[in-house]
Amino acid sequence: MLRDRYLTPNIVEDLKEKMVFVGGPRQVGKTTLCRDFVASFFKRHAYYNWDNRADRKDILKAAWPADAELLIFDELHKYKAWKNLIKGEYDKLKNKYRFIVTGSARLNLYRRGGDSLQGRYHYYRLHPFSLAEITKGSVKALPFKELFFSGDFFPNELESLHIYGGFPEPFIKQRQRHLRRWHNEKIERMFREDIQDLQVIRDIGSMKLLSDILPAKVGSLLSVNAIREDLEVSYRAAAHWIDVLESFYYHFRIYPYAGKRIRSLKKEPKLYLWDWSEVEDEAARFENMIASHLLKFVHFLEDYEGYKAELYFLRDVDKREVDFIVTIDQKPWFAVEAKASDDRLSPSLLYFKARLKIPYLYQVLKKEGIDKLEKGARIISASRFLASLI
């Protein structure tokens, strides 16, 4: 069963003027997106995977089929000189072919300083399925306007996402045994095939232990020093491993919003997993699912719409906290507090709204059938709120 992906029309549109790079976690559906959905808009395409020996030879010989319209390169970043290769081919053949490059490492890191590809590509981060994607919702939001909500709740779809996560294979199959095996195989392949291809990690065993303990850290302030003590390694090693795992889309961090009107924390971030189904604690998994949906929304606004959108959390020195705040150009747009079932309005939402002039407040509940206004905040079930995003 193939499901079209939310980025398909945007990538097809952008290919008319530039290359498109697609990054994202292993097994999130990058290859399917490009080979099955985007490629269907072209008469013929050619697909090359750097991990395949025959494909590597064709890439290095630049042996492209004459009748293809679209060239798709998978995991090309594993080749050290990939940027120069793709730049040369694109500059020479951009009037004949369209180019897509995909990878399970952060291709957008190459945007920084001295990028020989600058101005030649658009970059997208492909996320797992979300409630809006599987219910055929779409972004209707404009910055600093209220989110648009349909009249529907989607409790069954939300529960499936909460249990199985949004990665296509386990979500579509929806079997616990398959999910457990998929987790084990995904982690093993990430270390064996991805990380060790691009990074020199001397103590790979301890780094694997790090991936075992991170799910229990979800939603709390991340202390590298505490992790260093748990693993009995140096601070430098622990910090480096966390960075490496993040670069391969195992987890993401969000940081405290630093506003002039609040005495905010400025150090420790909070950590969440791209695959929230790994999180055992129910409340932490629900918060992670909300974080992932908001990050997908923010990345879409940045990657396609071009807004400088960011996701933060709010916490001040008096320990008042709100789980998430979305900003545009560092200006607050809306804040979100995630709760399992407590529909009493969080005092922290009202406090930060007054201090930061936040236009919109949402308290998002796992509890079903809730949608009400209270003191300028909207208390709403996640099965309606999340369907309004992307």
Side-chain angles (χ1 to χ4, degrees):
M1 177 182 177
L2 292 178
R3 290 175 177 264
D4 199 356
R5 299 308 308 270
Y6 68 107
L7 289 178
T8 300
N10 312 108
I11 291 174
V12 172
E13 176 187 345
D14 282 343
L15 281 170
K16 295 174 184 176
E17 58 180 38
K18 292 186 180 184
M19 289 187 288
V20 169
F21 290 1
V22 181
R26 169 180 282 279
Q27 294 182 281
V28 78
K30 299 182 297 295
T31 301
T32 300
L33 165 68
C34 297
R35 292 187 71 177
D36 294 321
F37 301 131
V38 174
S40 68
F41 287 82
F42 298 85
K43 291 180 180 178
R44 188 177 173 214
H45 73 279
Y47 171 80
Y48 302 92
N49 189 322
W50 183 257
D51 292 332
N52 180 279
R53 184 179 180 184
D55 287 356
R56 282 199 301 273
K57 291 181 178 179
D58 286 341
I59 291 170
L60 294 175
K61 290 188 298 183
W64 321 128
D67 59 345
E69 295 180 334
L70 174 68
L71 303 180
I72 302 170
F73 300 93
D74 206 351
E75 302 297 323
L76 186 60
H77 62 279
K78 293 180 180 179
Y79 175 45
K80 283 188 177 182
W82 76 273
K83 287 191 293 180
N84 287 334
L85 183 150
I86 204 72
K87 174 181 177 292
E89 293 304 304
Y90 175 74
D91 287 347
K92 181 173 64 176
L93 301 170
K94 61 185 176 183
N95 293 325
K96 178 174 176 57
Y97 299 112
R98 300 291 181 260
F99 291 75
I100 297 180
V101 180
T102 77
S104 52
R106 289 199 165 187
L107 303 175
N108 62 324
L109 290 178
Y110 297 101
R111 285 178 173 176
R112 299 176 182 173
D115 188 351
S116 63
L117 296 170
Q118 195 67 41
R120 292 175 170 85
Y121 66 95
H122 293 293
Y123 182 77
Y124 286 98
R125 288 159 285 193
L126 180 64
H127 283 250
F129 287 140
S130 55
L131 190 61
E133 188 173 2
I134 64 175
T135 59
K136 303 301 182 183
S138 61
V139 168
K140 300 180 180 69
L142 293 173
F144 305 110
K145 301 292 185 182
E146 187 170 10
L147 298 177
F148 174 82
F149 299 100
S150 72
D152 297 322
F153 294 89
F154 299 95
N156 295 332
E157 292 86 347
L158 181 75
E159 185 63 16
S160 294
L161 279 171
H162 186 248
I163 294 172
Y164 297 103
F167 281 72
E169 185 179 330
F171 177 78
I172 291 171
K173 294 197 173 183
Q174 296 199 8
R175 296 197 300 268
Q176 283 287 349
R177 180 173 63 86
H178 179 84
L179 179 65
R180 291 191 296 269
R181 297 173 73 182
W182 184 84
H183 282 157
N184 294 337
E185 291 164 4
K186 180 193 68 171
I187 296 294
E188 184 62 29
R189 290 180 67 185
M190 180 179 70
F191 279 100
R192 186 180 69 247
E193 298 178 18
D194 294 336
I195 292 176
Q196 294 198 97
D197 277 349
L198 295 177
Q199 296 281 339
V200 178
I201 304 294
R202 293 188 176 89
D203 190 357
I204 197 72
S206 292
M207 190 177 180
K208 286 183 179 179
L209 288 177
L210 172 62
S211 71
D212 291 338
I213 67 175
L214 286 182
K217 307 291 185 183
V218 161
S220 58
L221 295 179
L222 182 68
S223 169
V224 177
N225 200 49
I227 289 175
R228 176 195 69 78
E229 293 174 354
D230 290 342
L231 296 176
E232 298 182 344
V233 298
S234 69
Y235 183 96
R236 182 178 179 181
H240 176 59
W241 295 345
I242 291 170
D243 288 343
V244 170
L245 286 175
E246 187 166 26
S247 73
F248 284 93
Y249 295 95
Y250 179 70
H251 66 260
F252 60 92
R253 286 172 280 187
I254 67 172
Y255 290 82
Y257 177 74
K260 295 180 181 178
R261 296 174 180 269
I262 58 172
R263 294 185 298 162
S264 59
L265 297 178
K266 296 183 179 179
K267 293 185 179 179
E268 290 92 350
K270 294 200 294 185
L271 177 141
Y272 298 96
L273 304 187
W274 278 76
D275 178 12
W276 61 81
S277 68
E278 287 190 51
V279 183
E280 293 185 5
D281 181 82
E282 289 281 321
R285 189 193 309 170
F286 178 67
E287 184 179 327
N288 197 146
M289 182 172 65
I290 301 297
S292 296
H293 278 67
L294 290 170
L295 185 71
K296 182 175 182 176
F297 177 68
V298 163
H299 280 175
F300 181 80
L301 290 176
E302 181 181 2
D303 294 346
Y304 179 65
E305 298 289 354
Y307 291 112
K308 293 180 180 178
E310 297 284 354
L311 179 63
Y312 298 100
F313 70 94
L314 291 166
R315 184 180 171 97
D316 65 14
V317 294
D318 297 317
K319 297 186 178 180
R320 283 178 288 250
E321 183 170 344
V322 169
D323 291 327
F324 310 106
I325 182 170
V326 173
T327 69
I328 302 289
D329 294 326
Q330 292 296 306
K331 297 175 183 178
W333 176 8
F334 63 88
V336 176
E337 179 71 6
K339 298 282 190 183
S341 59
D342 187 358
D343 61 359
R344 294 171 298 177
L345 183 60
S346 166
S348 294
L349 274 172
L350 296 177
Y351 173 81
F352 285 114
K353 175 182 175 66
R355 299 294 293 179
L356 295 172
K357 304 291 190 278
I358 304 172
Y360 303 102
L361 304 179
Y362 301 102
Q363 186 160 306
V364 180
L365 311 180
K366 193 167 189 290
K367 183 178 179 181
E368 280 303 324
I370 307 295
D371 191 351
K372 62 183 181 180
L373 293 175
E374 186 174 324
K375 297 180 180 179
R378 192 160 185 167
I379 302 172
I380 184 170
S381 297
S383 69
R384 176 174 283 180
F385 175 80
L386 297 180
S388 72
L389 302 177
I390 181 71

